[in-house]
Amino acid sequence: MAPKKRSPTGQKRSTRGKKSSKSAFLVTEEEEPVNMESMGHPEIYPLVLTTKTQEIFNCRIDEDVTDEQPYKLIKKEDILEDFHNRAAVSDFHPVKKIVREYPGDELLLVYDKDFKFGLNFYLIGTEEGKENYLNPPEVPEEQEEHKELVPEDVYVYNPPVSKPWVSLGSEKEIEEESVKESTRQITYMISRKRCEFGAPVTFSDQNASHVKDAYIECTAYPDKNFTLKQLEKDVGMQVIPQVKDTSTQTKWAYPKNATTQYYPREFSEEEKEKLGQSKSVVDFLNNVSTSVEIALQQNEIMNTFIDDWKSLAEEEGIFGDKTDTHLKEYQSFTDLHSPTEKMITCVSWHPTIYGLIAVSVAVRLCYEDRVHFSGKLLLQPSLILFWSFSDPIHPQLMLESPDDIFCFKFCPSDPNIIAGGCINGQVVMWDITAHADRIENVKTGGSRSKKVTLKPMFLLEPDSNKEAMYIRHCAVSSIESGHKKVITDIHWLADTFEINRMGSVFENRSGICCQLVTCSADCTICFWDIRPQKTTTTSQPTEKKKEESIEIPYDVPSTFLHLNLSWKPFSRIKLSKSETSLDHCPTKISLSEDSSLYKPQGTNSIYPLLKDKMLVQSKVMSSEEVNPFHNLEAGLNNFLKPIEDFCTKFFVGTEEGEVIYTDWKMERDPETGRLMTKKPVSLYTVHDGAVHTVQRSPFYSDIILTIGGWNVAIWKEDVMTGPLLQSCCAPKRYTSGHWSLTRPGVFYIGREDGYIDIWDLLEKTHEPAQSQNICITMITCIKPCTFSAKQQFVAVADYYGTLHILEIPWTLSRPSTNEISSVNHYFEREVKHLEYVQQRKIIREQEKKEMELEREQKKVKTYHKSKEQMEAELKLDYESYLELEKTVLINLGLVKVSEVPYMEMM
């Protein structure tokens, strides 16, 4: 089909075979044909010839009209006959007036292959133009040469002529302005006594990492004696020709503007009016309108600048690119309803429900401000928020507490039981069993299967209502008998053992986790038991009367009612310093049996195993509808069976940056008979700040990671000579960290500037493998979690109260084939290295003692020498000196060999 044509005014012309009215035909006859007068060719009229028209006039492209002969002579009578047959549909209709007034019999039609004039053909409307095209005039060569040889204006170059130098006094001025040294140079001579040459040098050991011995800060300060104000400045100038060097290369550089115009050049109003009414401008717009419209249509249909390879790479990244090594943000949570500014203090993933995470928040105030605003803070609730991936705006549950929570943990036996530590030193207990259905309905996938993967955010629709539910605490410890300061860490003891007030280990009678351990800034570590302390029959009626007299709110379960406001620790440990009366201030602890919960098999994570265990327990509880935490007195009367060969030692991190390995077993003082804490097995000051992380590896039960201050250290439990790895000083202070759950050689560390350092011991052991910025403020907590074999996340909390959920890439989540054995081999090498260093220290100490003993013996021998022996030694020294003098003089040529006997006689 022939394309639709346009009139010179840019309007679309109908191609249908309907006859137009007489008035419309008259209007088209009065239209002036469009020529190329604006381009200097008034005799040329562009045309669009369709395929049918080309067949009628025998001017088909590449057949009748070619590159060698791009023109065709068409008879005027044939064109007029075409007007008669097709009327306004004829392709020659725009030049109808030119064809009728043409004086000749044949018109010249030229094929415009390059669209020089905008269309595929153009018609020459004058005889003179046709003659010039067919027979172009030739310019004689003599006239061309004559024009080139006769320039209009002749310029004659006069080269400069050298002249003798005439002095006008400039050399004196240069001599005066030149810089000369006016001050006298001072010469220093440093000498040393000859007796001091070759003197023994004593070296001693020094702790390079100790702040007091090896760290000296030299701060810069302005010295007024050397600050000079410039009052006068001499500047010399000389007129020289400007030389500019330019060069070109094939490499393309991005163009930049070298100058800027303050005022753009614009047409005046008269020039604008004149151009708007100009026929050449209108003709130009009419001619290019078709080409512009075609280009616009092509841009609408297809984007020619799109990068297909980049699109393929983005599509691959959706399913996890194996070459990507950066953490990708998956989701973020922020409490928008809180009126005060709060920070996140602790983060914990729900053990069984996928996509559910709990965070504790606290007000961002220092101690003085907290005391000043204590009245206002009492009116605001202290909460633990439960966030779900299905609803990033509204928290699912809100656990209320008497004060801000700084640490909390889910119970390993029942995830509906939660214990937390407050800033005022109290331990709080919650039971969310009655609200378990509410949080289970918002999990992704609708089932608890381990194979469930998270759906995209826009496909998740929460079934629960948008209003968050506030849950009050079940019990709180006694404020008089508990900790006196903020609780910094809390742990559940495993359900396989329990301890008594002496620290001895026995088999667990209840079969559930019923004991807790906490550490606080009041320099104490406390052990708590959630079971009733007295089970005698005489006390049962009185307790029932007390329970009946206490009014229990309808929304608070009675699970731990026996603990409320009367809960006391059954054992307390104080880490005292031997040299002073002060105590160590613990911040984080790591028990030896924590590794019982972490039992990786191959490349599987620890959390799926733990979740499966809890899942079985929860199913048994739901089937039997009996919760063991509601009958805590069941196993108290059972006989306690001691456990032999149980490791009761644990690691403690302090505020002073110390790492302590101590024992929780108590011993009696032989003098007073009181129970007292054993002395620490080892104590090392490795970190130059408070320790924020003390965590055992999920793959090796005897490997511990400690983070504090500006460095990180890795320890082995049986090695008491020092850390296996101690990093250098970081650019910013470390604030938190965590081991990877699937790769034994990877761990994540958060910094105070919002960056995360990712360490990979298989790649680098002296610095982080990579660093990535997550936020603009301090990172307070890091907690990874595994959802499936192909999807892992890490929760990163910051000081401004935002929880970032980041997706871990393939390279950081998928271990290599022999990574566990390779990292274990690395730790074994470091242990051997420490043993070698310790042996070298012992050898060096022994060598020092032997050298000192030899020196003492030599001093004693010199005192017992006789006078004749001393004279003989002096004579030998003098003779050796004469011999050396003789050889030096002969070598210098000052004395001949013949004169040597004479000198010896002298």
Side-chain angles (χ1 to χ4, degrees), residues 398-667:
M398 291 187 179
L399 308 185
E400 293 182 340
S401 65
D403 211 337
D404 288 342
I405 298 293
F406 271 74
C407 57
F408 69 94
K409 286 287 170 57
F410 288 93
C411 179
S413 299
D414 186 1
N416 295 323
I417 306 299
I418 303 169
C422 293
I423 192 174
N424 60 358
Q426 290 181 296
V427 180
V428 190
M429 298 290 294
W430 291 273
D431 185 2
I432 61 173
T433 306
H435 311 282
D437 295 337
R438 175 186 175 92
I439 57 178
E440 285 179 3
N441 290 333
V442 301
K443 67 181 183 294
T444 59
S447 65
R448 279 180 164 179
S449 175
K450 187 173 67 174
K451 298 181 180 179
V452 173
T453 58
L454 291 180
K455 297 179 180 179
M457 292 170 54
F458 55 84
L459 295 180
L460 299 177
E461 298 180 0
D463 300 331
S464 60
N465 53 1
K466 299 297 182 182
E467 297 179 0
M469 185 173 291
Y470 289 86
I471 301 175
R472 296 181 58 183
H473 55 270
C474 298
V476 64
S477 64
S478 173
I479 197 169
E480 295 87 3
S481 304
H483 292 288
K484 306 303 179 185
K485 291 184 180 180
V486 56
I487 298 177
T488 56
D489 200 5
I490 185 169
H491 290 273
W492 287 89
L493 297 186
D495 57 358
T496 57
F497 71 96
E498 61 178 273
I499 64 173
N500 60 3
R501 61 189 302 267
M502 290 284 294
S504 301
V505 184
F506 300 90
E507 290 184 359
N508 195 327
R509 294 174 290 182
S510 303
I512 58 174
C513 297
C514 54
Q515 289 185 343
L516 291 162
V517 57
T518 58
C519 68
S520 172
D522 61 354
C523 305
T524 59
I525 298 174
C526 295
F527 289 86
W528 309 74
D529 199 323
I530 63 177
R531 297 170 294 187
Q533 297 299 321
K534 296 181 180 180
T535 60
T536 58
T537 56
T538 57
S539 62
Q540 288 180 357
T542 58
E543 289 180 359
K544 287 183 179 179
K545 290 181 181 179
K546 287 182 180 179
E547 291 180 3
E548 291 176 358
S549 61
I550 299 174
E551 294 183 0
I552 304 173
Y554 70 94
D555 58 343
V556 177
S558 60
T559 311
F560 305 105
L561 184 62
H562 58 279
L563 301 176
N564 195 21
L565 298 177
S566 62
W567 195 14
K568 301 178 182 179
F570 67 87
S571 179
R572 192 187 300 267
I573 298 175
K574 272 201 172 184
L575 303 175
S576 59
K577 297 181 180 179
S578 58
E579 65 273 8
T580 61
S581 60
L582 300 177
D583 297 330
H584 297 287
C585 184
T587 56
K588 296 292 179 181
I589 58 177
S590 176
L591 304 179
S592 59
E593 273 304 304
D594 286 347
S595 60
S596 63
L597 302 177
Y598 307 125
K599 295 179 180 179
Q601 297 177 359
T603 59
N604 295 334
S605 173
I606 58 175
Y607 282 95
L609 297 174
L610 180 61
K611 290 176 183 177
D612 293 342
K613 180 181 177 182
M614 294 182 180
L615 188 58
V616 172
Q617 293 178 355
S618 62
K619 286 182 179 179
V620 171
M621 288 168 52
S622 62
S623 61
E624 299 178 357
E625 296 184 355
V626 175
N627 191 345
F629 284 92
H630 292 285
N631 189 17
L632 295 172
E633 302 177 3
L636 290 178
N637 296 326
N638 297 338
F639 177 72
L640 290 175
K641 297 180 181 179
I643 301 177
E644 303 294 339
D645 299 333
F646 189 92
C647 182
T648 58
K649 299 180 180 62
F650 63 102
F651 280 84
V652 182
T654 66
E655 279 190 353
E656 294 82 9
E658 300 164 333
V659 178
I660 304 174
Y661 187 56
T662 184
D663 198 337
W664 73 52
K665 271 191 176 181
M666 310 288 283
E667 61 181 4

Side-chain angles (χ1 to χ4, degrees), residues 110-309:
V110 182
Y111 168 49
D112 192 358
K113 180 182 179 182
D114 299 328
F115 289 86
K116 182 178 180 182
F117 299 107
L119 303 177
N120 58 353
F121 286 90
Y122 61 87
L123 189 69
I124 298 179
T126 60
E127 284 286 340
E128 184 179 357
K130 181 177 71 173
E131 192 65 27
N132 290 335
Y133 184 85
L134 297 175
N135 301 314
E138 297 181 359
V139 182
E141 296 180 359
E142 296 179 357
Q143 293 181 3
E144 292 180 357
E145 294 177 359
H146 182 68
K147 289 181 181 179
E148 293 177 358
L149 294 175
V150 182
E152 296 179 358
D153 189 7
V154 179
Y155 172 75
V156 181
Y157 172 72
N158 296 323
V161 181
S162 60
K163 299 178 183 179
W165 166 257
V166 178
S167 176
L168 299 178
S170 60
E171 65 274 8
K172 297 180 180 179
E173 185 178 354
I174 294 173
E175 185 69 22
E176 293 175 357
E177 295 294 335
S178 60
V179 179
K180 298 180 180 179
E181 295 183 358
S182 58
T183 58
R184 184 182 177 185
Q185 295 183 352
I186 302 175
T187 305
Y188 293 95
M189 184 179 71
I190 301 172
S191 61
R192 188 181 183 186
K193 295 181 181 179
R194 184 173 182 85
C195 62
E196 296 180 359
F197 283 97
V201 180
T202 304
F203 294 97
S204 61
D205 296 336
Q206 184 179 2
N207 190 1
S209 63
H210 200 275
V211 179
K212 296 181 181 179
D213 297 341
Y215 180 74
I216 301 176
E217 184 178 4
C218 299
T219 57
Y221 65 92
D223 193 350
K224 296 182 179 180
N225 298 327
F226 294 95
T227 56
L228 303 177
K229 186 177 181 181
Q230 187 176 4
L231 301 177
E232 186 178 354
K233 185 177 181 181
D234 295 337
V235 179
M237 297 179 64
Q238 186 176 2
V239 180
I240 60 173
Q242 293 184 355
V243 180
K244 184 178 180 182
D245 295 337
T246 59
S247 61
T248 58
Q249 289 184 348
T250 56
K251 185 178 180 181
W252 180 84
Y254 184 79
K256 295 181 180 179
N257 295 332
T259 59
T260 304
Q261 291 182 348
Y262 291 96
Y263 297 100
R265 293 183 298 175
E266 296 182 353
F267 289 109
S268 62
E269 295 296 332
E270 297 177 356
E271 291 176 340
K272 290 179 181 178
E273 234 180 285
K274 184 178 178 182
L275 286 173
Q277 298 175 358
S278 174
K279 182 183 178 183
S280 59
V281 175
V282 175
D283 294 342
F284 171 74
L285 295 176
N286 292 333
N287 292 330
V288 300
S289 61
T290 306
S291 302
V292 172
E293 184 178 359
I294 293 173
L296 292 175
Q297 289 176 355
Q298 290 178 351
N299 290 337
E300 288 292 333
I301 295 171
M302 176 182 177
N303 185 9
T304 58
F305 301 101
I306 192 171
D307 189 358
D308 297 332
W309 296 107

